Amino acid sequence: MLGRILLTIDGILLLVGAPIADYGPTHMFNPNWPPHAKFHNGQTITLSLLLGVATMFYTWRGATSPQLKREFMGAAAFTGSIYWLAGLCAILYPGTMGLDPEFGGPGFPQAPLFGFAAGCALLGSWLDRPGGKEKGV
């Protein structure tokens, strides 16, 4: 059950946290951002919402066998972590910053949250994944 709780925390962060952070003055309503950057921001917000829904679906979907539960937990780990892992890797591209200069950058204040959320997804999946010989689901 602890695994599902961690995956749920991750799913809530995908559904609520990312859209709140990106649909505000630092991103979507930043007058310094060109329209194409805002397009990609909208794409990112939508991706976060879709991954959050998928994470919650696979986390709480009933399984009729231990193998099916393993598959669901693997899917929840994938959908729950890829957004955050991509965010951690984004800083590696040339000219990127986690925070624009007018908001106190350079910096990468998202890194701890991204690591925490990805950790919730991966650890949660592992904790709630049945063993190979487990009889119950």
Side-chain angles (χ1 to χ4, degrees):
M1 183 56 118
L2 176 59
R4 283 185 171 184
I5 292 169
L6 290 172
L7 281 160
T8 300
I9 291 168
D10 172 62
I12 290 169
L13 288 171
L14 284 165
L15 289 167
V16 177
I20 287 174
D22 289 347
Y23 199 79
T26 61
H27 288 68
M28 190 57 73
F29 301 108
N30 186 340
N32 296 324
W33 277 32
H36 190 70
K38 293 179 182 188
F39 167 85
H40 284 289
N41 187 56
Q43 182 181 23
T44 301
I45 292 169
T46 303
L47 178 62
S48 177
L49 293 170
L50 293 171
L51 290 171
V53 168
T55 299
M56 297 298 261
F57 174 77
Y58 284 113
T59 297
W60 293 103
R61 184 174 186 190
T64 56
S65 70
Q67 175 163 345
L68 196 53
K69 182 164 184 181
R70 276 192 299 278
E71 290 176 17
F72 291 167
M73 289 297 102
F78 179 73
T79 60
S81 65
I82 59 172
Y83 177 88
W84 309 114
L85 296 173
L88 287 169
C89 293
I91 198 74
L92 302 174
Y93 287 89
T96 61
M97 283 189 290
L99 195 60
D100 286 326
E102 67 263 31
F103 298 103
F108 192 27
Q110 307 93 323
L113 176 64
F114 287 6
F116 170 77
C120 282
L122 298 172
L123 179 61
S125 169
W126 181 77
L127 288 173
D128 230 37
R129 194 174 198 161
K133 298 207 179 220
E134 184 175 323
K135 296 199 189 265
V137 178

